[in-house]
Amino acid sequence: MNAISNAAIESAALRSDRFRLEREADWQRLENIVVRMEKGRLRGISDEDLLALPGLYRTVASSLSIARETSLDAATLGYLESLVQRAWFVVYGPRSSLWEWLRGFLGGGWSRAVRGIGFEIGIALLVMVAGAVVGWLLVSHDPEWYFALMGREMAGERVPGASADALRGTIFGNTEKTGMSIFAAQLFSNNAQVSILAFALGFALGIPSLLLLVHNLAGLGAMGWVYWKAGLLLDFAGWISIHGTTELFAILLSGAAGLHVGRAIAFPGNRPVLTATAEAGRRAAVVMVGVVLMLVVAALLEGFARQLVDQTPARLAVGGFMLLAWSAYFFAYRGRAGR
């Protein structure tokens, strides 16, 4: 039994050595090129090596495939997997630096992606407005709906029947409040979860994304009714607008991005479903990267500006400015990448 095992081991070792010897020259040549490129020594690479690079990458990738199929030794497999991975980044990896990518993203790439989902943005906007109206009407008909939409813990002092002074105290007089940075981080985390969920649920044909938008905006509509009953609707609008025009815009884009992917799955048109979904997914991913940036801005506005700016006109001015700025960037600014 031991003799048979030793023979099998020797046979495998010989097979592995022979496999390596037959192809090792190409592996070493590719590795030398990759090492030079990783170190930025492009001038030391000959034209012949550069022209041979794609072919060498495919050759080594083929060697890796054969090695896996024939169960060669772990050391050879590990070496080939590492070399193929490094070569992939050299051959097919991104060519631009982080600064160049950021310049292209903010210089028109992001706004172009947002305009590409304009149809879904329109639908999501209608759904969000409808959700706010539904929340308002439900609570005005039966205040008990308020707690179904908001939750008693989240509502705090903002409940139906609360006095005007109590409600006014929730939106004014917080300039001395401490721990704003922690509060901003918590808000960012919560809003990021809502936005990511609205996007992720888009893969279920976009319907859950729309329902999530309705639910979130119904709560806002319900809260608006509470402040309206106390004669504080304009103050509430100012309180919510200073960060809400950015935050709600981000949630709107998240829901629209999810719906965009869901629509590509349900209605791919003349393209294969996978092709349509991949194209929509890439566009939606660009939108979502920007959404993260918007949520950071919204968290800073909510955690700092809303507490420090204690007058309704000033709050409305800040919120209105942010809304105009985002709208102008998305729909008026083309930039070099958007042409």
Side-chain angles (χ1 to χ4, degrees), residues 42-276:
L42 297 179
R43 293 183 179 178
I45 304 174
S46 66
D47 293 342
E48 291 77 11
D49 283 344
L50 285 176
L51 291 173
L53 180 59
L56 289 170
Y57 167 75
R58 289 191 290 271
T59 299
V60 177
S62 175
S63 297
L64 175 60
S65 177
I66 295 171
R68 285 172 172 166
E69 291 294 329
T70 54
S71 302
L72 292 181
D73 63 277
T76 302
L77 275 174
Y79 169 76
L80 289 174
E81 286 175 348
S82 174
L83 181 57
V84 168
Q85 186 179 40
R86 292 164 60 200
W88 185 89
F89 282 104
V90 170
V91 177
Y92 300 107
R95 295 287 181 271
S96 60
S97 64
L98 176 61
W99 168 247
E100 290 172 336
W101 174 85
L102 189 61
R103 188 172 57 179
F105 177 75
L106 296 177
W110 181 21
S111 60
R112 181 175 55 184
V114 169
R115 290 193 298 276
I117 62 170
F119 177 73
E120 288 82 2
I121 290 175
I123 294 176
L125 180 60
L126 289 176
V127 168
M128 290 174 72
V129 172
V133 172
V134 168
W136 180 294
L137 293 177
L138 284 175
V139 178
S140 65
H141 177 72
D142 182 359
E144 285 300 316
W145 272 103
Y146 185 80
F147 300 104
L149 296 173
M150 291 296 299
R152 292 182 183 275
E153 184 177 347
M154 180 179 293
E157 300 178 45
R158 305 176 181 90
V159 295
S163 67
D165 288 339
L167 292 174
R168 188 178 292 106
T170 63
I171 55 179
F172 291 116
N174 294 316
T175 55
E176 303 299 328
K177 191 172 182 179
T178 59
M180 291 182 182
S181 58
I182 299 175
F183 186 51
Q186 292 174 342
L187 294 172
F188 172 77
S189 175
N190 177 71
N191 296 334
Q193 289 177 12
V194 172
S195 298
I196 292 172
L197 191 59
F199 170 65
L201 292 176
F203 288 95
L205 305 182
I207 295 174
S209 298
L210 297 178
L211 294 176
L212 184 64
L213 295 181
V214 170
H215 179 265
N216 275 275
L217 269 295
L220 182 63
M223 190 179 290
W225 180 84
V226 169
Y227 282 88
W228 173 76
K229 287 289 289 183
L232 297 169
L233 182 59
L234 183 62
D235 295 323
F236 172 71
W239 179 77
I240 203 75
S241 70
I242 196 168
H243 76 283
T245 50
T246 298
E247 179 185 278
L248 293 176
F249 213 145
I251 294 175
L252 167 68
L253 294 181
S254 300
L259 186 61
H260 184 64
V261 175
R263 189 164 73 96
I265 296 173
F267 305 104
N270 297 326
R271 300 165 297 174
V273 174
L274 288 179
T275 302

